Amino acid sequence: MARRRLAALAAAAAALMWQGEALPQNPQEAVFEQHCAVCHDNPATRAPARNSLRAMSPEFIVSALTDGIMTAQGSALTAPQRVALAEYLTGQKIGTQRPMAGRCPGKPPAFSLSGPSFNGWGVNLENWRFQREPGIAAADLDRLEVKWAFGFPGAVVAFGQPTIAGGRVFVGSQGGHVYALDAQTGCYYWDYAASTGVRTAVTIARIGNRNAALFGDRRGHAYAVDADTGQTIWKVTPDPAPNVQVTGAPTLFEGRLYVPISGGDDSAAVNPKYECCKGRGAVVALDAATGKVIWRTYLIPDVSPQGKNAVGTQLWGPSGVSVWSSPTIDAKRRVLYVGTGDNHSAPATSNSDSVVAIALDSGQILWSNQVLSGDMGNGACFTVEKTNCPEPHGPDFDLASSPNLITLPNGKRVLTIGQKSGMMWGLDPDERGRIVWKVRVGKGGTLGGVQWGTATDGRTVYVAVSDLTLINPIIGEPLVIDPNIGGGLFALDAATGAQAWYAPPARVCGERKNCSPAQSGAVTATLEYVLSGAIDGHVRAYATDSGKVLWDYDTAKPYVTVNGVKASGGSLDSAGPTIAGGMLFVNSGYGLYGGQAGNVLIAFAPRR
């Protein structure tokens, strides 16, 4: 597959030269301005900034424009134009990228699910993100050193949380590849090419008579891949609607794979000619053995015409209410819980910015607790003309992280979840989500509050705060993030929300560019320490009893990689660290929203 795609790209490049087209000076700049700048020069979108595009490979950009996440935008360009644009933006020629080294030698050892693991996004069905036996004690932290590093080719973001199972590490990448690595050495057993970027964590499980790796991609596909060989078992589209994606890890329970669906068209709304918006958040239950859809539950009603905008473009709605994160399973009540995002177009609906409970067996919505009503918005709200921005537009306060389902020592249960508003919520899952407690941990914002995930040991909830702040959110200008605002880690009592301790953010940016103390990524807990990464590039371990920093490592540096790919670290965001079997794995690099680009997976182990 990879060779055929590379040959096709090379042929397209050759066709461009053969045609001998008389092109004006820098025609690709005009193409970029016409088709790309509206998103890539807009600080409100999730599109990588112009300088981040240069760090990518031309093959990846062409693939994204041809049949990847940017297919809609690329459809307006011919194949030669896509090649020329990619080569112009990256400064590299198609076909010049060297083959990746680092294949594991000899016959792979037998793969078994036994042994230490950090499997999937939240480790357990309740999404605790807690490792009881990490194999690295607090006393070992000072002896941690880099054991190996693996570079993601052509990437500026390292956002796929590494899964540890059976002595291997399974990790997705921005380039659309999923890798199975040897945990001890970092060599790779297989390299699977998905349709586009894979930011979900991978879940490893026994399905029928073989081990399967289960994950989703940013074009809305779900996959089951043989964990031993990397061969496709099945690949399906859980939701046939266009412009949807899978950003949260699918959750496996009793032979069903529960896939969260998020709408991906809010960024396209910056274009006044875009018919905003049709994407709808959903949860889809698949048969894990076959990929067959068992039920599909949308979180908003059917989309319908909603008039036209100021330039005469047809508008649609309601839309949005994305499920950005991994569902949480309540085996006792046979329910799953998800947090939702805002509406992308009018009218506002009752399930936006909510915690929603859905029956595992039927897909029926059992209850929904909306903690903020009327929150509508899309990328156009951050432009000058705001043509496609719904009014009144809200603050974009998604509940984008997975809930933690906790059974307290007294038998009561609580569902805890963070919000981009800066609020932490404790809800009663046995009383239709009744609010038990709420605590403000951050000032909140579009890039603020709680972003990607909390952790718990069953008594205490550990909450990292983003509050990433842009100094100059101006379209067309390079993003600059405030090096002095954001960050902090809270320990809250799970039963009451009372603060046990607070660890203030570090102030280490100095003159470093693309640096912020914001702690946007998901956190990971053990009995002795909590792991949290920051936009400043540091991963830190905090004592669970006091919040004292026990270990601090700056990942933002170049690395010699086991696969021969030029790689460096950068900002830490999205996925959290994973730890098992005496090894710690950290993805470094996040060239979005002003953060420092990077493309490396770093493996740590105590020095002997």
Side-chain angles (χ1 to χ4, degrees):
M1 176 72 74
R3 288 194 182 96
R4 289 200 300 271
R5 176 174 288 176
L6 185 59
L9 297 178
L16 179 64
M17 292 183 288
W18 177 79
Q19 290 169 4
E21 298 180 35
L23 299 176
Q25 186 177 11
N26 286 335
Q28 289 77 34
E29 184 63 33
V31 172
F32 179 84
E33 290 296 327
Q34 181 179 356
H35 298 282
C36 312
V38 69
C39 288
H40 290 282
D41 284 347
N42 186 349
T45 72
R46 286 182 291 276
R50 178 71 173 268
N51 61 342
S52 292
L53 294 175
R54 188 165 184 82
M56 295 179 176
S57 69
E59 288 86 355
F60 173 70
I61 291 179
V62 172
S63 177
L65 291 168
T66 303
D67 55 10
I69 193 170
M70 302 299 292
T71 302
Q73 291 81 354
S75 64
L77 306 176
T78 66
Q81 284 178 320
R82 291 193 289 268
V83 170
L85 178 63
E87 292 183 340
Y88 172 70
L89 290 173
T90 63
Q92 305 171 57
K93 291 291 184 180
I94 292 286
T96 58
Q97 191 174 19
R98 293 184 299 175
M100 190 173 72
R103 185 98 187 189
C104 295
K107 183 179 179 181
F111 175 73
S112 170
L113 284 172
S114 62
S117 68
F118 195 111
N119 200 346
W121 175 257
V123 183
N124 60 6
L125 295 172
E126 295 82 11
N127 273 323
W128 280 21
R129 301 189 55 80
F130 174 69
Q131 178 62 277
R132 187 171 295 278
E133 297 179 358
I136 300 174
D140 299 325
L141 293 172
D142 284 341
R143 297 189 295 111
L144 285 181
E145 62 181 8
V146 176
K147 188 167 186 179
W148 54 260
F150 181 90
F152 299 111
V156 297
V157 172
F159 56 21
Q161 178 170 288
T163 286
I164 310 163
R168 299 185 185 183
V169 178
F170 300 86
V171 62
S173 69
Q174 184 188 22
H177 288 253
V178 177
Y179 303 97
L181 313 177
D182 182 274
Q184 294 299 315
T185 67
C187 69
Y188 72 95
Y189 293 108
W190 50 257
D191 167 3
Y192 181 84
S195 293
T196 191
V198 175
R199 65 168 294 165
T200 76
V202 181
T203 294
I204 307 298
R206 190 73 176 174
I207 305 294
N209 61 356
R210 53 185 167 180
N211 300 311
L214 305 162
F215 55 91
D217 74 19
R218 296 188 67 196
R219 282 198 71 193
H221 300 111
Y223 299 79
V225 172
D226 191 301
D228 295 272
T229 66
Q231 299 299 308
T232 303
I233 299 173
W234 52 255
K235 173 186 175 182
V236 300
T237 305
D239 181 1
N243 298 317
V244 298
Q245 52 186 325
V246 181
T247 56
T251 301
L252 180 69
F253 179 63
E254 292 185 344
R256 292 185 179 185
L257 189 68
Y258 298 95
V259 184
I261 301 293
S262 54
D265 58 351
D266 60 316
S267 294
V270 299
N271 183 351
K273 295 181 180 180
Y274 181 76
E275 296 188 358
C276 178
C277 282
K278 296 181 180 180
R280 293 189 289 166
V283 178
V284 183
L286 304 179
D287 184 314
T290 65
K292 180 181 178 181
V293 173
I294 298 171
W295 54 255
R296 182 186 300 116
T297 299
Y298 291 107
L299 298 177
I300 55 177
D302 288 340
V303 178
S304 61
Q306 301 291 331
K308 296 183 178 182
N309 67 14
V311 300
T313 304
Q314 179 66 58
L315 299 178
W316 298 82
S319 64
V321 193
S322 293
V323 182
W324 295 107
S325 56
S326 186
T328 296
I329 301 294
D330 184 343
K332 176 183 175 181
R333 287 191 172 269
R334 301 197 63 77
V335 174
L336 68 78
Y337 307 104
V338 293
T340 67
D342 62 352
N343 287 113
H344 295 160
S345 57
T349 63
S350 60
N351 284 334
S352 62
D353 295 351
S354 301
V355 176
V356 182
I358 302 174
L360 288 174
D361 298 315
S362 66
Q364 177 186 358
I365 295 178
L366 301 175
W367 55 259
S368 174
N369 187 337
Q370 186 175 51
V371 297
L372 176 65
S373 62
D375 190 8
M376 299 186 295
N378 57 52
C381 299
F382 299 88
T383 65
V384 175
E385 58 185 55
K386 296 181 169 54
T387 304
N388 273 339
C389 179
E391 294 295 350
H393 66 271
D396 186 18
F397 282 168
D398 300 359
L399 285 88
S401 60
S402 296
N404 309 132
L405 178 60
I406 303 167
T407 300
L408 301 170
N410 63 3
K412 292 280 189 179
R413 304 196 311 160
V414 64
L415 197 65
T416 63
I417 189 169
Q419 188 178 5
K420 287 166 60 177
S421 63
M423 296 298 297
M424 270 297 298
W425 301 89
L427 309 179
D428 189 332
D430 302 315
E431 294 188 21
R432 301 181 63 84
R434 176 182 63 85
I435 296 174
V436 178
W437 55 262
K438 59 180 180 179
V439 174
R440 177 164 294 281
V441 294
K443 67 178 183 180
T446 299
L447 302 174
V450 183
Q451 293 277 320
W452 293 117
T454 55
T456 182
D457 56 13
R459 293 176 179 267
T460 304
V461 182
Y462 302 100
V463 185
V465 177
S466 173
D467 285 355
L468 182 71
T469 301
L470 301 178
I471 292 178
N472 65 329
I474 303 172
I475 296 173
E477 295 291 331
L479 287 182
V480 178
I481 52 180
D482 195 309
N484 300 306
I485 297 178
L489 184 69
F490 287 82
L492 306 178
D493 183 271
T496 66
Q499 181 178 313
W501 51 257
Y502 168 67
R507 305 295 185 192
V508 299
C509 286
E511 298 301 316
R512 178 184 287 185
K513 295 181 179 180
N514 307 104
C515 187
S516 163
Q519 292 170 242
S520 303
V523 296
T524 303
T526 74
L527 286 171
E528 294 184 293
Y529 51 88
V530 182
L531 296 161
S532 177
I535 302 299
D536 62 19
H538 290 246
V539 57
R540 299 177 177 90
Y542 300 79
T544 54
D545 60 355
S546 66
K548 177 184 177 182
V549 176
L550 303 176
W551 177 68
D552 184 337
Y553 183 86
D554 185 0
T555 68
K557 62 186 69 173
Y559 293 85
V560 176
T561 63
V562 294
N563 58 334
V565 172
K566 184 179 180 180
S568 62
S571 297
L572 304 183
D573 203 339
S574 186
T578 58
I579 185 168
M583 295 193 70
L584 168 65
F585 300 92
V586 178
N587 261 339
S588 181
Y590 204 79
L592 304 178
Y593 298 119
Q596 184 174 351
N599 64 323
V600 68
L601 170 63
I602 311 165
F604 298 90
R607 183 174 55 254
R608 295 185 183 278

